[in-house]
Amino acid sequence: MTNKEMTTNPEGTQGVFPSIMKETAANDLTRPFWEAARDNRFVCARCTNCGTFRLPPAPFCYECQHRDIEWVELPGTGTVYSFTIVRHPLAKMLQPSVPYASGIIEIDGTQGAGARMICNIVDVDVDQLKIGDKVEIVWEHVNDEMSVPRFRPVDA
Amino acid sequence: MTIKDKAAIVGVGATKYWKRGQSFPETELSMACTAILSALEDAGLSITDLDGFSIYSSSCDPAEVASVLGVPEVRWATTTTSGGGGCAGALGVAAAAINAGMATCVVSLMTLQQLNKRLGGSEVGGMLAYATASEGSSPYGGSGIPPTAAFTANSGMLSPGHSFSVLAQRHMYLYGTKREHFAEVCMSQRENARKRPDTAVQTDELTLDDYFNARMISDPLCLFDYTQETDGAVAVITVSADRAKDLKQPPVYIMSSAHGGTGRWGPAIFKYFQAPEEEFASSGHRPVAKRLYEMAGITPQDVDVALLYDHFSPLVIMQLEDYGFCPIGEGGNFVAEGNIRYGTGSIPVNTHGGNLSEAYIIGMTHVREAVEQMRGTAVNQVKDAEVALVTGGPASLPVSGTLLHR
């Protein structure tokens, strides 16, 4: 399953935003996501009452106000909904990383809004990235607790 | 029953505007007090008249200001929640308090010194704090990092500029909006600022070449699309319409005011971007605009000058659409046709130069300019202007708008 994983250079890599948060700060509501992530699996919370996906998981469904969720495994593919190319490093430590792409991904198998992912998009020519591009998830296992999701273009 | 024409702005006061950090050794407290005293004097009132604070983004601590200035009795102290989006809405809250008999003389203000802090963070600790902050964190201490932070903290989107770049990108994709359109907003406002060197921080000419030669910060936004960072304070005084008639300045009536937005906009742009498809590439102001015009009983065609919150240039274009000055998706062409230019456009926008070129005091410079336009004393005075629109945000909810008339 190595094709679903990525490693990063501790000195920084152009195009890759370094993982500045190295703990999941998980609670019961979010923990299943991070546990699945450790196994390179992408799961999303779905309302058991009306089927609306919530990501990040929220304590209530915004459509029917129901609380209970079930975790559904999805392929981890999606579409670039919008993005930015960050060229100015907000901090010195980001100098090796710029330019990098960050975007909003609409996840295949969900309703879209309400389950969007906000992620670094890697392995991409930042001058070629477009809204509508197909992408797939790739995991960086930072430590035993934290696996960071990123997306990369799906090879044509 | 609404607050329509029940209250009026009668005083405006401000410090000078400085580039970021240069207001030192003034403090945010000292600048707030200076602006308040100046606004009271402008109105012909004194500190003994002041009894209310209607602020936004917790711009100051009314307890501290009231104590330092010796306000005899505070009868009203509120802030709209979240950040700069509440700016124009704070005027409506002041009017509501006065109309309900809860206070008689209310100040709204912002004071800002970006010496040791910068919005958006500029070092790793700051970035992480920004990425993991809870909205509306409690003065009693939060419960640590919210569990949802881990879903965004490593995304690389860490500042308001990054967030608004994403909205702008989607607007370009859907409607064919171009960087030339953003440039027109920047150049139009710079021209306005250049005529007011007494207040404006940026007064150099800005050409299309300058714009396209500027470094990109976060595509599609370049340096000039971002607001400047400045220091200063601005305060305005609101009293009842009846009392306003007897004061020093011609009253500027609050025709209508609204704050809020679609629930699912939520903290959208600073967190999870979950706004519904039909509202994503917008300023989030549409519901506020609707209520604003309904309360005032007017249409966009009745507005003579628009002071639109311009932390990032594309948001001016989106607000032109959301406030009905042009159809949705046509904001880019609308500005390209010269419609927002002072002197020649159909709806002059940010005649003071805005956040982009005059100063960024989180929206209060727009309120000041709206009042001066209605008094007929603005530097770039719109001839015979009778109605002004002033807006706050977008940011996290609430965003806000207020209509003023002379």
Side-chain angles (χ1 to χ4, degrees):
Chain A
M1 298 300 283
T2 51
N3 64 333
K4 286 192 173 183
E5 294 179 12
M6 64 178 286
T7 55
T8 59
N9 181 346
E11 303 299 312
T13 304
Q14 192 175 71
V16 179
F17 184 81
S19 300
I20 57 174
M21 188 170 174
K22 299 180 193 305
E23 56 180 320
T24 61
N27 63 2
D28 289 349
L29 203 54
T30 65
R31 193 168 292 108
F33 179 91
W34 301 111
E35 287 177 354
R38 285 205 297 257
D39 301 328
N40 299 334
R41 291 186 301 113
F42 177 80
V43 296
C44 194
R46 183 169 67 185
C47 176
T48 57
N49 185 52
C50 76
T52 301
F53 284 92
R54 314 175 210 167
L55 192 70
F60 289 85
C61 175
Y62 66 90
E63 289 289 353
C64 73
Q65 294 73 49
H66 200 73
R67 294 203 76 155
D68 294 343
I69 52 172
E70 59 191 341
W71 287 92
V72 180
E73 184 163 347
L74 296 170
T77 56
T79 306
V80 176
Y81 186 74
S82 194
F83 67 95
T84 180
I85 308 298
V86 177
R87 297 185 191 268
H88 172 75
L90 263 184
K92 280 199 184 73
M93 68 159 286
L94 295 177
Q95 191 68 55
S97 302
V98 293
Y100 65 84
S102 286
I104 302 173
I105 311 299
E106 291 214 324
I107 302 296
D108 292 344
T110 73
Q111 77 278 6
R116 296 181 182 131
M117 288 280 283
I118 319 301
C119 274
N120 181 201
I121 302 168
V122 297
D123 294 338
V124 65
D125 176 347
V126 293
D127 294 318
Q128 298 299 316
L129 185 63
K130 300 185 306 297
I131 289 175
D133 283 356
K134 296 292 177 191
V135 291
E136 63 185 1
I137 206 161
V138 55
W139 299 97
E140 179 202 354
H141 298 297
V142 175
N143 52 41
D144 287 348
E145 180 187 342
M146 181 57 143
S147 298
V148 174
R150 293 190 176 84
F151 282 82
R152 66 183 173 201
V154 176
D155 294 330
Chain B
M1 189 193 84
T2 72
I3 58 165
K4 184 184 178 186
D5 297 340
K6 296 284 171 55
I9 297 173
V10 294
V12 181
T15 64
K16 71 167 285 198
Y17 306 143
W18 293 268
K19 287 186 178 177
R20 176 174 67 83
Q22 293 184 1
S23 58
F24 183 83
E26 292 290 332
T27 63
E28 290 193 337
L29 175 62
S30 69
M31 292 191 295
C33 293
T34 299
I36 291 169
L37 292 175
S38 158
L40 287 165
E41 187 185 356
D42 181 55
L45 295 167
S46 79
I47 198 70
T48 55
D49 294 298
L50 185 68
D51 65 359
F53 292 80
S54 173
I55 58 175
Y56 61 103
S57 196
S58 300
S59 61
C60 70
D61 180 2
E64 197 162 16
V65 171
S67 170
V68 167
L69 288 180
V71 175
E73 183 183 359
V74 176
R75 299 194 181 97
W76 182 270
T78 56
T79 181
T80 52
T81 50
S82 202
C87 174
L91 304 174
V93 176
I98 290 163
N99 191 40
M102 305 292 279
T104 62
C105 177
V106 178
V107 65
S108 302
L109 76 137
M110 176 53 68
T111 181
L112 181 64
Q113 183 179 65
Q114 302 198 76
L115 183 64
N116 298 315
K117 61 175 186 186
R118 295 176 74 180
L119 276 166
S122 55
E123 31 72 40
V124 176
M127 289 194 308
L128 191 56
Y130 182 83
T132 58
S134 301
E135 285 293 333
S137 33
S138 161
Y140 301 105
S143 50
I145 299 169
T148 45
F151 288 84
T152 55
N154 294 325
S155 68
M157 283 208 281
L158 284 165
S159 74
H162 297 168
S163 300
F164 288 111
S165 294
V166 167
L167 265 61
Q169 188 89 256
R170 183 90 188 155
H171 198 273
M172 296 168 97
Y173 169 79
L174 289 175
Y175 307 122
T177 315
K178 299 186 177 85
R179 287 194 61 213
E180 283 81 354
H181 301 152
F182 305 157
E184 167 59 14
V185 172
C186 301
M187 293 188 300
S188 170
Q189 295 191 192
R190 180 62 61 87
E191 279 307 298
N192 296 341
R194 295 188 72 206
K195 295 176 195 140
R196 12 188 316 133
D198 289 350
T199 52
V201 173
Q202 301 291 338
T203 53
D204 292 342
E205 186 181 12
L206 177 64
T207 66
L208 197 59
D209 275 351
D210 295 334
Y211 180 88
F212 276 98
N213 287 330
R215 62 196 167 96
M216 299 302 292
I217 305 296
S218 52
D219 295 10
L221 304 188
C222 73
L223 181 68
F224 293 118
D225 295 311
Y226 272 64
T227 180
Q228 350 162 42
E229 296 170 291
T230 55
D231 292 359
V234 182
V236 300
I237 305 292
T238 302
V239 302
S240 73
D242 281 346
R243 191 174 181 194
K245 291 185 188 114
D246 305 325
L247 296 178
K248 210 161 106 186
Q249 304 287 350
V252 176
Y253 296 97
I254 296 174
M255 271 184 113
S256 66
S257 184
H259 68 267
T262 303
R264 285 297 287 172
W265 180 276
I269 50 170
F270 292 139
K271 293 262 169 116
Y272 317 119
F273 294 86
Q274 302 294 15
E277 166 70 24
E278 60 274 17
E279 205 179 10
F280 187 93
S282 86
S283 69
H285 276 264
R286 265 173 236 166
V288 165
K290 183 170 184 290
R291 280 194 285 140
L292 203 59
Y293 290 128
E294 280 173 4
M295 185 186 295
I298 65 169
T299 70
Q301 286 69 42
D302 299 315
V303 178
D304 298 306
V305 56
L307 293 314
L308 306 178
Y309 199 91
D310 58 322
H311 40 8
F312 300 96
S313 63
L315 279 300
V316 171
I317 290 172
M318 295 183 211
Q319 286 179 78
L320 287 165
E321 298 172 0
D322 292 342
Y323 279 95
F325 296 108
C326 63
I328 302 297
E330 294 183 19
N333 287 328
F334 185 76
V335 300
E337 288 161 4
N339 281 300
I340 64 170
R341 289 272 175 169
Y342 169 67
T344 52
S346 62
I347 177 69
V349 169
N350 294 342
T351 42
H352 54 331
N355 293 329
L356 296 172
S357 282
E358 192 204 29
Y360 172 70
I361 314 293
I362 320 189
M364 281 305 291
T365 56
H366 296 61
V367 176
R368 177 187 182 184
E369 175 71 4
V371 171
E372 290 181 4
Q373 286 286 349
M374 292 300 92
R375 288 180 180 177
T377 60
V379 173
N380 296 316
Q381 180 63 44
V382 175
K383 196 166 175 290
D384 300 327
E386 292 184 353
V387 176
L389 167 68
V390 56
T391 70
S396 297
L397 291 187
V399 304
S400 65
T402 289
L403 284 165
L404 302 174
H405 77 88
R406 65 180 194 188

